[in-house]
Amino acid sequence: MITVACVYWGTKFSKDYVYNLKAMVERNTTIPHKFVCYSDRGVPGVETRILKPGYEGWWNKLQLFNPDTGLVGENFYLDLDVVILGNIDCFVKWGDENTMGVIRDFGQPDMFFNSSIMKWNNKICSEKIWKPYMANRPSFRRLQGDQNVVTDLMKGDPNIKIYPDEWTQSYKWLDRSRKRFSKQSWTFELLPTAKIAVFHGRPNPHESDQEWVKNNWK
């Protein structure tokens, strides 16, 4: 049994994002799992665990690596603003029990990981991410967000195993081989090999008028 986790904090997204993510996971994996939402409030109908106060926005995601969250064994995380396009068993089964699976960033793929999709085990990541982050928390404020902390602490680590680029796509820029086109040039194509589309910044999934998004984000 693997835990599939998400983080729902603040007012950026409606509860529909939690419900749709849970439904997409259930439709697109055959692996026994438990879906858990970490939030600052309860989400009816979903197992919800309350985040500790004192963190803002994306910094809450780092609480997943805190051993106090109760995440034991292998865990799989998805941002709320992803759209699952097909079976994700390959993501969930990636590597072994010690693997931290991550995707490369879209904007700067050779420099950073993107934390929209992660697989990890806290017997590894509590030691390698949570403890050093908490020991030097003020110094990490120089970074732009949680994925930069993960990159800073884990890049080059033997437990890191990067997911194949072709399994994921950017909603706006398609893949990692193309430059950031201006908004006027966005075509919102569907990458045939992609199993998950990552939305980073606006538009968000509920704002998309693409049929391939509307057919899957539900």
Side-chain angles (χ1 to χ4, degrees), residues 90-91 94 102-104 161-169 176 193:
C90 55
F91 283 92
W94 186 242
V102 293
I103 63 173
R104 296 198 304 150
K161 188 175 181 183
I162 298 173
Y163 287 114
D165 284 352
E166 61 268 23
W167 289 2
T168 56
Q169 75 165 90
R176 298 163 179 84
T193 60

Side-chain angles (χ1 to χ4, degrees), residues 151-163:
T151 301
D152 197 58
L153 293 172
M154 295 297 291
K155 196 165 189 179
D157 189 278
N159 293 112
I160 285 286
K161 188 175 181 183
I162 298 173
Y163 287 114

Side-chain angles (χ1 to χ4, degrees), residues 15-28 80 82-85 205-206 211-218:
K15 287 186 175 70
D16 286 342
Y17 274 78
V18 179
Y19 297 133
N20 283 3
L21 181 61
K22 184 176 186 290
M24 287 188 290
V25 169
E26 290 174 350
R27 289 197 306 270
N28 289 291
L80 289 178
V82 303
V83 175
I84 300 178
L85 306 169
H206 77 276
E211 288 301 318
W212 64 269
V213 174
K214 291 190 286 187
N215 289 339
N216 289 287
W217 190 73
K218 57 185 179 180

Side-chain angles (χ1 to χ4, degrees), residues 135-150:
N136 297 282
R137 190 176 171 189
S139 71
F140 284 110
R141 286 290 180 181
R142 75 188 191 281
L143 302 178
Q144 292 182 332
D146 65 282
Q147 67 185 29
N148 302 81
V149 173
V150 172

Side-chain angles (χ1 to χ4, degrees), residues 178-189:
R178 298 166 62 174
K179 63 182 180 180
R180 299 187 188 190
F181 293 110
S182 64
K183 291 183 179 181
Q184 292 75 21
S185 301
W186 291 350
T187 57
F188 306 112
E189 302 163 67

Side-chain angles (χ1 to χ4, degrees), residues 96-140:
D96 58 30
E97 65 175 359
N98 297 320
T99 294
M100 183 173 193
V102 293
I103 63 173
R104 296 198 304 150
D105 192 43
F106 292 97
Q108 297 174 292
D110 297 324
M111 292 182 61
F112 299 111
F113 300 141
N114 182 297
S115 62
S116 299
I117 302 166
M118 298 185 290
K119 179 195 173 187
W120 80 100
N121 190 323
N122 270 344
K123 75 177 184 181
I124 302 295
C125 291
S126 290
E127 292 292 327
K128 295 190 174 184
I129 299 176
W130 180 252
K131 287 186 177 180
Y133 169 67
M134 290 303 293
N136 297 282
R137 190 176 171 189
S139 71
F140 284 110

